[in-house]
Amino acid sequence: MAGEGLKPLATGLLLLNFCMCVIVASIGGWAINRAIDHGFVIGPSLELPAHFSPIYFPMGNAATGFFVLFAVIAGVVGGASAIAGLNHIRSWNVNSLPSAASVAIIAWTLILLAMGLACKEIERGFRNARLRTMEAFLIILSATQFLYILAIHGASTIRP
């Protein structure tokens, strides 16, 4: 069967991407939890501070809020794409390819968006080690997700 040689490559990339998406979503969840616990406290008069932002994060810089929110979304969608990809790898035929490919491309575009915000955060400077880890994982994940898409599309010559 044509494309059978790409199956181990696609499986390895799928597992790598799933693990990286779980790590990105976990670190993002930590950052959101910390922002909720250490964010602005509204006093008894219920007045918001002068420079209130609903996505204020006590660590990082001005881009951190957007970066973390989009990174969590990208991590969750990337994990969901791994589930659809697992179904495709299990059956490995042209009937399962469209669903796996479409959700992988959606996850990749969200990962690219989060990677762009990571680049902005790197440019702004002043961030902690966990945010730097999440930035690095997203930059690597953008490349490995693209390679995974190429691997499953390279096997599109397979017959049902």
Side-chain angles (χ1 to χ4, degrees):
M1 178 186 291
E4 197 67 35
L6 291 174
K7 190 174 181 179
L9 175 66
T11 304
L13 287 170
L14 180 74
L15 294 175
L16 176 67
N17 289 347
F18 179 73
C19 292
M20 291 178 74
C21 284
V22 167
I23 291 170
V24 165
S26 299
I27 295 173
W30 165 83
I32 290 174
N33 183 47
R34 178 152 175 166
I36 290 171
D37 289 344
H38 297 90
F40 288 118
V41 177
I42 300 174
S45 63
L46 297 177
E47 293 179 18
L48 293 175
H51 299 288
F52 176 74
S53 172
I55 56 170
Y56 168 75
F57 281 73
M59 71 295 225
N61 53 45
T64 301
F66 296 105
F67 165 63
V68 168
L69 292 177
F70 280 102
V72 169
I73 293 169
V76 171
V77 174
S81 83
I83 294 170
L86 187 64
N87 182 40
H88 172 60
I89 294 211
R90 189 176 49 84
S91 61
W92 199 251
N93 61 31
V94 294
N95 296 329
S96 63
L97 177 65
S99 62
S102 62
V103 73
I105 290 171
I106 291 170
W108 182 56
T109 56
L110 288 170
I111 289 167
L112 286 178
L113 178 62
M115 185 201 68
L117 290 166
C119 292
K120 183 64 175 179
E121 189 179 40
I122 291 169
E123 176 192 339
R124 302 285 305 228
F126 186 69
R127 59 218 193 275
N128 65 16
R130 289 183 182 157
L131 292 176
R132 285 192 299 261
T133 302
M134 194 162 61
E135 293 162 0
F137 270 73
L138 277 168
I139 291 169
I140 296 167
L141 188 58
S142 66
T144 59
Q145 184 73 15
F146 180 67
L147 291 175
Y148 167 72
I149 292 169
L150 290 179
I152 62 173
H153 275 89
S156 64
T157 58
I158 57 179
R159 304 286 180 242

